[in-house]
């Protein structure tokens, strides 16, 4: 039997240990629970342990859970690929979007963000390992995209997100995370308000934190393996 509460304790201590080893304060890294394919009941269980930030990849599935759990003080992050016809519902129902990789999507989110809500927090997804057919803008496009997004209303650009090429080799994981950190630090020279590096998943939480992650996106290590046809993302 998987215990979500035990997993939560274990992931929290893994984050705390990594912060300590990296000489970073423990509150420098925020745990984002990736809840795609999980039921509202599983989210509720994790929330009971103290988790408030949840991330979803698929809009309809997310909206069902957002509705089911609307009484709870949850903060919703969208981390999946974004089609133009989905931007309105994303702008209306989420606090964060980590997967913006083109200006067209940012413009629509800015136009469609309801005025009564605070600005939508945005991370630009960067294809840091330059993989073919992978979401994310290129390293070379990033500065330009930042410049354009910072001019849009109703959005608050926070930083960069990446899903590096899958590898078991720690040195390669470190290199990809270091490249994203270096890119953010270059961008911060012109945009010092950028404060977010969304990187690291269940298998590479530690190297991500060592390289400066401020948000780690963790699914499997909290909820157990996904048994779902679309679960590989
Ligand atoms: C599914 C997913 C995660 C979490 O992956 P795990 O290996 O289950 O921790 C993180 N980020 C994104 C963008 C995802 O799609």
């Amino acid at each position: 039997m998987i215990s979500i509460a035990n997993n939560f304790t274990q992931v929290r201590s893994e984050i705390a240990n990594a912060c300590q080893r990296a000489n970073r304060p423990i509150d420098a890294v925020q745990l984002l629970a990736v809840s795609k394919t999980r039921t509202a009941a599983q989210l509720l269980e994790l929330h009971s342990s103290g988790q408030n930030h949840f991330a979803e990849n698929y809009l309809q599935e997310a909206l069902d859970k957002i509705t089911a759990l609307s009484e709870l003080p949850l903060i919703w992050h969208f981390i999946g690929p974004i089609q133009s016809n989905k931007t309105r519902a994303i702008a209306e129902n989420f606090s964060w979007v980590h997967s913006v990789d083109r200006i067209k999507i940012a413009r629509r989110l800015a136009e469609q963000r309801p005025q009564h809500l605070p600005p939508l927090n945005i991370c630009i997804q960067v294809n840091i390992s330059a993989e073919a057919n992978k979401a994310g803008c290129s390293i070379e496009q990033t500065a330009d995209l930042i410049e354009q997004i910072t001019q849009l209303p109703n959005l608050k650009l926070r930083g960069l997100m990446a899903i590096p090429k899958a590898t078991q080799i720690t040195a390669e994981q470190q290199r990809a995370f270091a490249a994203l950190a270096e890119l953010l630090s270059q961008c911060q020279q012109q945009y010092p308000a950028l404060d977010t590096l969304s990187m690291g998943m269940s298998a590479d939480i530690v190297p991500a934190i060592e390289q400066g992650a401020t948000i780690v996106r963790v699914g499997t290590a909290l909820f157990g393996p996904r048994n779902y046809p679309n679960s590989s993302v």
Side-chain angles (χ1 to χ4, degrees), residues 61-106:
E61 181 194 331
L63 294 177
D64 292 345
K65 287 178 239 182
I66 291 172
T67 304
L69 300 169
S70 62
E71 299 300 311
L72 303 178
L74 303 186
I75 299 144
W76 294 96
H77 299 236
F78 194 84
I79 60 172
I82 306 175
Q83 297 156 279
S84 296
N85 63 349
K86 303 284 168 63
T87 52
R88 182 175 299 279
I90 293 172
E92 289 175 352
N93 289 282
F94 288 80
S95 297
W96 284 74
V97 181
H98 294 232
S99 43
V100 172
D101 62 1
R102 54 199 197 277
I103 189 63
K104 179 184 176 191
I105 294 298

